[in-house]
Amino acid sequence: EATIEVAGLRKRFGATTALDGMSFTVGAGQVTGFVGPNGAGKSTTMRVVLGLDAADAGHAHVGGRPYRELRKPLAHVGSLLDAGALQPSRSARNHLLWLAHSQGFPATRVDEVIEISGLASVARRRAGGFSLGMRQRLGIAAALLGDPPVLMLDEPFNGMDPEGIVWMRTFLRQKAREGRAVLVSSHLMSELQDTADHLVVVGRGRVIADTTVADLITAA
Ligand code: ADP
Ligand code: ADP
């Protein structure tokens, strides 16, 4: 059964066609790599799934229903868009405490997500001084507060150093092994080819190839 289902999404911004019949599914227990050049429609697709943009046509479901109909959306879907929005003057830990409080998650969860995200040594530093790679980790920590079975991460490798990239790959595999559905976008196939179970390759707002990595290797 599909955990995320995107079907026939169309979306225009003025004269620009962002989505032109985008359709694919994301299964539980897998890393689905969402790969394509900048402008292909990956962020717009994720924003439509999260109800942040309205599609002109088509539908996007999470667990069989639109995101806005989920009873506890933040406990269902954890997302990272634009390396997360953060409050620069707070420490990373205080930022997470504030988010946990405002979203109704227990404060005890904060130290758990700090540990999972590898932020323990910097959690008391001002988030505003963080590198992009560290902000990605902080955004992931925020996405994990509700322990969601679905993760949707937009370009999480951006700004990560080599150590961060290795960490991110291990993290993604671990979340899939826990049975979660993981959708992760990148403009670089190389970042995901060894990590994803399933690849959805997109261009110009639609799917160009939808394949398992095993099939891709067999075909090559
Ligand atoms: P990707 O995430 O694959 O880089 P996007 O979904 O960000 O692609 O963008 C798809 C297309 O839609 C691009 O041409 C982009 O410029 C355009 N676009 C996205 N968001 C907006 C917006 N808010 N206003 C105008 N154009 C947009
Ligand atoms: P219940 O009726 O089971 O208590 P609620 O819908 O009231 O469930 O949500 C439980 C918690 O989840 C609340 O504390 C609320 O802060 C949080 N929550 C639910 N939906 C949202 C949302 N869209 N944005 C932020 N927090 C939310």
Side-chain angles (χ1 to χ4, degrees), residues 36 53 59 70-71 75 78 102 109 119 140 151 157 177 196 212:
D53 272 331
H59 72 252
L70 296 173
R71 203 171 60 84
S102 61
R109 180 70 182 150
L119 288 171
I140 283 172
L151 286 171
F157 290 98
R177 197 154 53 236
T212 64

Side-chain angles (χ1 to χ4, degrees), residues 23-48:
S23 302
F24 62 91
T25 62
V26 177
Q30 294 196 336
V31 176
T32 296
F34 195 22
V35 181
N38 290 326
K42 305 181 297 295
S43 299
T44 303
T45 300
M46 290 187 175
R47 291 178 57 81
V48 169

Side-chain angles (χ1 to χ4, degrees), residues 169-217:
R169 290 192 173 129
T170 307
F171 167 80
L172 296 170
R173 291 303 325 153
Q174 173 66 25
K175 294 299 123 185
R177 197 154 53 236
E178 291 168 5
R180 296 175 214 264
V182 183
L183 177 65
V184 51
S185 77
S186 177
H187 59 287
L188 294 173
M189 177 73 89
S190 58
E191 286 176 340
L192 288 170
Q193 61 194 9
D194 298 328
T195 303
D197 304 284
H198 171 202
L199 285 171
V200 176
V201 183
V202 294
R204 295 172 191 266
R206 51 168 53 208
V207 175
I208 295 168
D210 186 329
T211 181
T212 64
V213 174
D215 282 351
L216 195 64
I217 291 165

Side-chain angles (χ1 to χ4, degrees), residues 39-187:
K42 305 181 297 295
S43 299
T44 303
T45 300
M46 290 187 175
R47 291 178 57 81
V48 169
V49 172
L50 293 169
L52 299 171
D53 272 331
D56 301 327
H59 72 252
H61 286 174
V62 184
R65 55 176 71 183
Y67 180 85
R68 65 177 179 279
E69 291 179 13
L70 296 173
R71 203 171 60 84
K72 294 185 179 179
L74 300 174
H76 204 108
V77 185
S79 61
L80 171 67
L81 302 178
D82 297 330
L86 55 80
Q87 299 157 298
S89 61
R90 296 191 196 224
S91 72
R93 189 165 181 280
N94 280 342
H95 172 72
L96 291 167
L97 281 168
W98 174 81
L99 281 180
H101 177 73
S102 61
Q103 296 172 0
F105 300 123
T108 51
R109 180 70 182 150
V110 167
D111 289 318
E112 292 171 14
V113 301
I114 284 172
E115 193 62 38
I116 297 169
S117 307
L119 288 171
S121 63
V122 296
R124 290 175 196 277
R125 290 196 205 156
R126 245 181 84 252
F130 276 18
S131 66
L132 178 53
M134 304 275 280
R135 293 210 307 276
Q136 298 279 21
R137 289 185 192 241
L138 183 53
I140 283 172
L144 294 173
L145 282 170
D147 200 14
V150 180
L151 286 171
M152 219 161 45
L153 312 176
D154 194 10
E155 298 275 2
F157 290 98
N158 275 3
M160 287 213 147
D161 61 15
E163 187 193 341
I165 289 171
V166 171
W167 174 82
M168 179 66 69
R169 290 192 173 129
T170 307
F171 167 80
L172 296 170
R173 291 303 325 153
Q174 173 66 25
K175 294 299 123 185
R177 197 154 53 236
E178 291 168 5
R180 296 175 214 264
V182 183
L183 177 65
V184 51
S185 77
S186 177
H187 59 287

